[in-house]
């Protein structure tokens, strides 16, 4: 399943980030998807925790965010953070949003789970630990988006909504859009309850069989990667322009933070986008 030609781990100075082949051609577009390696946090948040969790000292989080910016040659103050609520609210960010949520939770952009980016010099970041991080990039129009999609955001079609904004407000041709779907809890491990099963059937009446996996113990798993991919295909993205990283956070707790694996006491990984 894992195609190392399409994505790989970049490992340098103890850090480990995920890279996607289709973004390599565009040096003006910078991005990152972090892992849990090489930060300052300790214990169950060991070590590259980027979220202000009650279990971590804010100084560790700020130090980790500083080294993230430094590694990627991004000004620390350019980073922007959200107060995520599993919504499908999307913010079109500009330079007035610089440093929001950077030093404390209180001044983060509230009740929002994704961004559209059209300007250089700012780096919006979403946070995940089992939820799916999704990057959309249109190299022709120089527009990008980054979204946080757990089951709620996925079923609220946040990625599709972001794509529609790019199409309708910025004239993006979906055939030009490159999509990267990052690590999250995988179809192997993501058990869901009946109310979520019913919701998936309602939203995807023609395709739910591809998205829901019946397990022997009568439990059902949801494929969040396929569900996000499908909603982008439905709006005209070319399948060959979608790369799914296929790494399950729950299966690889030494590399990734997994909320479910750690029973809620865990750090957050960041996915950010930036135009130079
Ligand atoms: Zn798994």
């Amino acid at each position: 399943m894992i195609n190392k030609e399409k994505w790989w781990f970049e490992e340098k100075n103890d850090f480990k980030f995920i890279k996607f082949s289709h973004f390599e051609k565009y040096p003006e577009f910078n991005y990152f998807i972090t892992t849990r390696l090489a930060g300052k946090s300790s214990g169950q948040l060991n070590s590259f925790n980027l979220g202000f969790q009650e279990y971590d000292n804010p100084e560790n989080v700020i130090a980790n965010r500083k080294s993230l910016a430094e590694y990627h040659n991004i000004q620390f103050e350019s980073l922007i953070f959200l107060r995520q609520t599993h919504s499908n609210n999307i913010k079109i960010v500009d330079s007035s949003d610089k440093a929001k949520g950077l030093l404390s939770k209180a001044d983060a952009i509230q009740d929002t789970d994704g961004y559209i980016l059209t300007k250089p010099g700012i780096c919006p970041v979403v946070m995940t630990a089992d939820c799916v991080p999704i990057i959309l990039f249109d190299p022709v129009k120089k527009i990008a988006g980054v979204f946080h999609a757990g089951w709620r955001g996925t079923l609220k079609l946040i990625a599709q909504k972001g794509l529609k904004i790019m199409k309708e407000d910025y004239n993006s041709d979906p055939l030009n859009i490159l999509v990267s779907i990052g690590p999250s809890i995988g179809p192997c491990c993501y058990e869901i309850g009946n109310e979520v099963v019913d919701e998936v059937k309602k939203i995807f009446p023609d395709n739910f069989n591809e998205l829901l996996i019946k397990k022997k113990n009568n439990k059902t798993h949801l494929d969040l990667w396929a569900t996000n991919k499908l909603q982008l295909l439905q709006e005209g993205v070319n399948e060959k322009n979608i790369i799914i990283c296929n790494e399950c956070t729950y299966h690889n707790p030494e590399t990734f933070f997994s909320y479910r694996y750690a029973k809620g006491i865990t750090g957050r990984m960041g996915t950010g986008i930036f135009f130079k």
Side-chain angles (χ1 to χ4, degrees), residues 18-188:
I18 290 165
K19 303 304 286 181
F20 292 92
S21 59
H22 57 192
F23 294 156
E24 292 291 296
K25 273 193 285 182
Y26 306 101
E28 72 276 19
F29 180 61
N30 199 352
Y31 68 96
F32 52 78
I33 298 184
T34 69
T35 64
R36 69 184 298 168
L37 304 185
K40 294 264 190 298
S41 310
S42 58
Q44 277 186 255
L45 284 76
N46 174 26
S47 54
F48 202 38
N49 169 41
L50 294 169
F52 289 118
Q53 312 302 322
E54 56 186 301
Y55 311 103
D56 203 357
N57 181 336
E59 282 171 21
N60 292 334
V61 177
I62 291 167
N64 290 340
R65 289 177 174 190
K66 278 190 174 146
S67 58
L68 172 70
E70 206 169 291
Y71 183 100
H72 293 280
N73 267 323
I74 294 166
Q75 261 195 340
F76 177 59
E77 294 73 24
S78 303
L79 297 171
I80 302 169
F81 294 88
L82 300 173
R83 182 85 184 91
Q84 297 171 180
T85 54
H86 299 281
S87 71
N88 65 357
N89 299 330
I90 295 169
K91 165 88 175 164
I92 296 155
V93 272
D94 61 38
S95 53
S96 67
D97 297 306
K98 252 186 173 182
K100 280 189 180 162
L102 181 57
L103 300 176
S104 85
K105 242 183 191 173
D107 68 339
I109 297 170
Q110 298 296 305
D111 189 23
T112 299
D113 288 82
Y115 313 82
I116 299 292
L117 177 68
T118 64
K119 303 234 161 48
I122 46 176
C123 181
V125 182
V126 296
M127 224 79 84
T128 59
D130 283 345
C131 295
V132 192
I134 301 160
I135 300 174
L136 305 184
F137 170 46
D138 175 350
V140 176
K141 296 283 182 186
K142 311 274 181 237
I143 298 169
V146 64
F147 311 97
H148 156 256
W151 72 262
R152 287 189 187 85
T154 298
L155 297 185
K156 287 175 188 164
L157 309 179
I158 188 169
Q160 188 183 77
K161 186 177 172 189
L163 174 63
K164 281 183 177 168
I165 295 172
M166 291 169 75
K167 280 167 65 173
E168 287 160 21
D169 298 356
Y170 297 95
N171 262 325
S172 269
D173 180 341
L175 291 173
N176 293 331
I177 293 178
L178 307 175
V179 178
S180 293
I181 297 181
S184 78
I185 192 164
C188 40

Side-chain angles (χ1 to χ4, degrees), residues 188-189 248 251:
C188 40
C189 298
C248 172
H251 246 111

